[in-house]
Amino acid sequence: MKIHAQALLFDNDGTLVSSLESVHRCWTRWAGEYGLTAEEFARVELHGRPAAEIAADLLPADVVPEAVARIEQLEVDDVPRGGVHLLPGTKEFLDALPADRWAVVTSATRRLAEARLDAVGILPKTLVAADDITRGKPDPEPYLLGARALGVDPAHCVVFEDAPAGLLSGRAAGMTTVALATTHQAHELDADLVVENLSALSVQVAAGGVEITVRG
């Protein structure tokens, strides 16, 4: 299978990097600080959603701004502890792309996203973060902003995601979707293409755009 595109849009956590250890550590501490029971905490979907939306699902509205600032600080402070690492194939795949043909589109805040990306040596020219949007994934707004930032028609973009909410966002934006089975099982992911991780793909750049191929 070959996919042609003019630009590639990547989720970060679970797609380019794994931050599961850090996320678990920080959110568990955060939940304890705000007196949330395990049952209350378990009923919300954490992965692929902005922290502000998660906090709003769990806490009174007047507490949310402080709680969001707290989880951001916990997660930023946790990065040096080593809970973030590159997923297979990430470096090779990104190294093959021109800087103006790809962007990172993440539900994390810019501060947290930059901390995690810097820790693994990824420096995207274009980054869309939670600070830039009014509606998070699965709304199409994040990926539409990514396409606009790169100056590419959404129909000519490919989204790489590990979370169902992100895949819904990319599809709603009118983009081709590639799912990576890094945090969910393949059967849980609805996409145009599902692979294990970026190491399953090769990429070639030509004058007309980018061609993605599943390795044989």
Side-chain angles (χ1 to χ4, degrees), residues 45-206:
E45 176 61 46
L46 289 179
H47 194 62
R49 300 177 64 213
E53 293 183 8
I54 297 168
D57 283 348
L58 291 165
L59 299 169
D62 62 328
V63 180
V64 169
E66 168 207 311
V68 171
R70 178 58 177 156
I71 188 58
E72 180 188 56
Q73 190 62 53
L74 286 171
E75 291 191 292
V76 169
D77 289 346
D78 194 70
V79 170
R81 295 183 63 182
V84 180
H85 59 84
L86 283 174
L87 285 165
T90 295
K91 187 177 188 307
E92 296 78 7
F93 200 92
L94 295 183
D95 283 350
L97 298 173
D100 62 352
R101 292 296 87 193
W102 65 278
V104 173
V105 180
T106 177
S107 295
T109 63
R110 181 170 297 274
R111 181 180 174 219
L112 177 58
E114 289 179 344
R116 286 177 174 165
L117 290 165
D118 184 63
V120 295
I122 298 177
L123 302 171
K125 182 178 180 181
T126 303
L127 171 65
V128 175
D131 316 59
D132 305 312
I133 63 171
T134 56
R135 298 176 303 278
K137 305 170 187 177
D139 191 272
E141 182 187 359
Y143 281 114
L144 290 174
L145 282 177
R148 189 182 308 157
L150 294 177
V152 176
D153 186 322
H156 298 148
C157 294
V158 176
V159 165
F160 294 80
E161 268 281 356
D162 70 303
L167 292 168
L168 285 170
S169 175
R171 189 176 304 110
M175 302 177 182
T176 299
T177 52
V178 175
L180 309 181
T182 52
T183 57
H184 291 77
Q185 295 184 31
H187 72 268
E188 298 176 295
L189 302 169
D190 183 10
D192 295 297
L193 174 66
V194 181
V195 294
E196 185 177 0
N197 52 53
L198 288 175
S199 68
L201 303 172
S202 62
V203 60
Q204 289 188 319
V205 180

